[in-house]
Amino acid sequence: QVQLVESGGGLVQAGDSLRLSCAASGHTFSNYAMGWFRQAPGKEREFVAAQSQSNSRRYYADSVKGRFTISRDNAKNTVYLQMSSLKPEDTAIYYCAARFFVATTTAQEYKYWGQGTQVTVSS
């Protein structure tokens, strides 16, 4: 069984930066692609960023491209989401997710999910 635990969320002002972490356990982390998704109140869960298991490929939603960076440390079984130039529209619960090997941008294709961490950006 794969367990994912997010941390690092909080309340920040527009323009600030924040780094989310997702610690994984219960599987061989390096075999799994990792993704970040978010869900704002009243909206569907949407893709934010994903990285392949080999660290070679990264994918970003257009809305965060150039502002967010996904990275992973396979030695620490952790994936990160560095967020900068935050905007009020980035306010959401952020979830990390894992699927075997290949990164995708579709939430339904990820098998394992964390509990989420709240990010609130004030204007």
Side-chain angles (χ1 to χ4, degrees), residues 2 9-10 14 20 22 24-25 31 45 48 60 64 82 95 110 112 115-116 120:
V2 177
L20 305 182
C22 174
S25 61
N31 288 341
R45 190 169 299 190
V48 176
Y60 296 96
V64 307
Q82 178 67 49
Y95 299 90
Y110 284 79
Y112 303 105
Q115 83 290 348
T120 304

Side-chain angles (χ1 to χ4, degrees), residues 2-7 20-25 27 29 32-39 45-51 70-72 77-81 93-99 106-107 110-119:
V2 177
Q3 293 87 38
L4 302 173
V5 179
E6 302 96 334
S7 61
L20 305 182
S21 300
C22 174
S25 61
H27 66 299
F29 183 72
Y32 284 77
M34 301 299 296
W36 286 97
F37 294 80
R38 66 187 182 187
Q39 188 166 17
R45 190 169 299 190
E46 65 173 2
F47 168 74
V48 176
Q51 186 169 13
I70 187 172
S71 62
R72 61 190 293 164
N77 289 358
T78 301
V79 62
Y80 305 97
L81 185 68
I93 298 174
Y94 283 71
Y95 299 90
C96 74
R99 71 184 305 272
T106 305
Y110 284 79
K111 183 174 182 180
Y112 303 105
W113 290 83
Q115 83 290 348
T117 185
Q118 176 71 48
V119 173

Side-chain angles (χ1 to χ4, degrees), residues 89-108:
E89 51 264 43
D90 294 318
T91 295
I93 298 174
Y94 283 71
Y95 299 90
C96 74
R99 71 184 305 272
F100 187 71
F101 206 71
V102 178
T104 73
T105 63
T106 305
Q108 291 82 351

